[in-house]
Amino acid sequence: MARVPTTPPTLADVAERAGVSRQTVSNAVNNPDLLRADTLARVLHAIDELGYSPNRAARNLRTRASHLIGMRIGPVYEGTANATMDRFVHSLVEASREAGYHVLLFAGDPEDPLAGYDDLLRSTTVDAFVVTDTYLGNPQATWLEERRAPFVAFGRPWDHPGAEHPWVDVDGAAGTDLATSYLLDRGHQRIAWIGWRKDSRIGEDRRSGWSRALHARGLPTTGLASRVEDTVSSGREASAVLLDEARPTAFVCASDTLAMGVLGTLADRGLTAGRDVSVIGFDDSQVAQVVSPGLTSVRQPLEDVAVEIVKALEGLLAHPPAIGPGVMLVPSLALRGTS
């Protein structure tokens, strides 16, 4: 008896049922004369049994016919100073072009993390996806895996360490460790941290680098950390409280947005960043590069991230697919006047 799938059967499902490669299923649909009669019969039987109904979009998605890579982009939030995703998108477009691909951007619904994926999967011609939201609880990766849709993630699988999909990420803890150690080497001992809420895996990862560096020198972290929303105003308020209660001589922040808030607080109090109190942000945004006296910031190697993602896509779309281990890249420190 034919099973009734909970989701529409895919080319990969047919391949698995028939015990053949995806390319063989594609040939059965598009070029049946290339197959031996017994192989063709086996594939057609599996198609019948599963109720698989191939269409142009589904065929292109799995046979690398379009040379388009889909990526969802979200809105820019008010009150932030971060344009990291802009730099990443530009880098991805450049790296994809050199490999013979083009990037198809689509907008998402902030209330629905899956919005847009189903439409592209069913009705447009993309070879694969790049997923950028890998935070805890985000269903995109699981949804795509269930449908055998090829994708590479920018971000490690935080809630599923054993995930088999390819991913590329930047070691945030290494970046904040680098920033904190730089300040320690210059004589600072009371270095405050301003980061994101505890449910942010990325934020907690970055916080761990700060605490690791301090503990390695036998220095305390108690009373020196604050967790807030990623806005300039939150950074401003948190730094004011820390300056009053903990008297730090330096701040390391989870983002340039928060660091900009710290700079605002210092200015309000007549303090000079880099001379009276040092400040280091994260992401090396354009704001960090132009604000006076220049914000020292941890710089993510987004150009390298894009190249590694395209390499992973090429392996994923090869015949047969080649899926390598996740790739973790190390950030650097862009030194400027605030430190």
Side-chain angles (χ1 to χ4, degrees):
M1 176 184 295
R3 70 178 178 90
V4 179
T6 56
T7 59
T10 66
L11 182 145
D13 294 327
V14 175
E16 184 177 346
R17 177 62 66 94
V20 297
S21 70
R22 297 182 186 187
Q23 185 59 53
T24 298
V25 176
S26 177
N27 286 339
V29 172
N30 301 301
N31 302 291
D33 54 305
L34 296 179
L35 302 182
R36 291 187 341 195
D38 58 333
T39 301
L40 178 60
R42 190 161 75 252
V43 174
L44 292 177
H45 179 70
I47 289 174
D48 235 17
E49 191 176 33
L50 293 174
Y52 174 65
S53 179
N55 56 42
R56 182 171 180 267
R59 289 200 300 272
N60 283 339
L61 183 63
R62 294 167 181 84
T63 59
R64 193 178 170 183
S66 71
H67 298 275
L68 284 175
I69 304 300
M71 192 181 85
R72 168 176 157 149
I73 56 171
V76 175
Y77 293 101
E78 297 291 333
T80 67
N82 196 347
T84 301
M85 193 52 62
D86 290 348
R87 184 159 67 94
F88 170 67
V89 170
H90 180 79
S91 299
L92 182 65
V93 168
E94 286 294 310
S96 298
R97 181 181 58 79
E98 292 176 6
Y101 295 96
H102 294 286
V103 178
L104 175 64
L105 301 177
F106 61 100
D109 179 351
E111 302 300 319
D112 180 6
L114 296 176
Y117 284 95
D118 191 54
D119 288 343
L120 279 177
L121 200 58
R122 290 175 178 276
S123 62
T124 65
T125 55
V126 296
D127 290 339
F129 293 96
V130 172
V131 174
T132 58
D133 295 320
T134 59
Y135 54 82
L136 183 64
N138 189 291
Q140 292 172 353
T142 299
W143 190 89
L144 290 168
E145 282 180 330
E146 287 175 350
R147 286 153 182 78
R148 308 291 182 89
F151 73 96
V152 177
F154 175 16
R156 71 202 82 169
W158 293 99
D159 53 345
H160 186 17
E164 296 181 355
H165 68 261
W167 57 267
V168 181
D169 203 1
V170 176
D171 191 339
T176 50
D177 189 327
L178 178 66
T180 308
S181 296
Y182 173 84
L183 294 169
L184 289 167
D185 290 343
R186 275 142 192 83
H188 293 278
Q189 293 194 328
R190 294 191 63 74
I191 302 171
W193 167 258
I194 302 180
W196 301 325
R197 301 294 184 186
K198 201 167 187 176
D199 60 355
S200 167
R201 291 287 188 92
I202 296 175
E204 290 301 280
D205 182 54
R206 294 180 183 182
R207 185 184 190 277
S208 71
W210 162 80
S211 61
R212 182 173 71 200
L214 287 175
H215 291 155
R217 306 285 181 100
L219 296 172
T221 57
T222 305
L224 285 166
S226 180
R227 290 186 176 94
V228 297
E229 299 297 329
D230 190 34
T231 64
V232 173
S233 60
S234 293
R236 199 180 196 112
E237 293 165 7
S239 57
V241 172
L242 285 165
L243 283 169
D244 290 338
E245 298 181 356
R247 303 290 181 183
T249 62
F251 287 86
V252 175
C253 303
S255 69
D256 287 349
T257 294
L258 294 173
M260 290 299 298
V262 178
L263 296 184
T265 296
L266 296 181
D268 290 344
R269 299 189 177 199
L271 300 172
T272 300
R275 185 189 70 190
D276 301 317
V277 179
S278 291
V279 184
I280 298 181
F282 199 112
D283 284 330
D284 195 26
S285 62
Q286 288 178 318
V287 172
Q289 299 170 34
V290 300
V291 69
S292 179
L295 174 63
T296 294
S297 185
V298 177
R299 182 177 178 86
Q300 299 196 58
L302 297 181
E303 296 79 9
D304 295 335
V305 170
V307 169
E308 292 296 334
I309 284 177
V310 171
K311 285 182 184 177
L313 285 167
E314 290 183 300
L316 190 63
L317 296 171
H319 298 290
I323 301 176
V327 176
M328 187 76 80
L329 300 175
V330 179
S332 58
L333 195 58
L335 295 171
R336 299 189 183 92
T338 61
S339 65

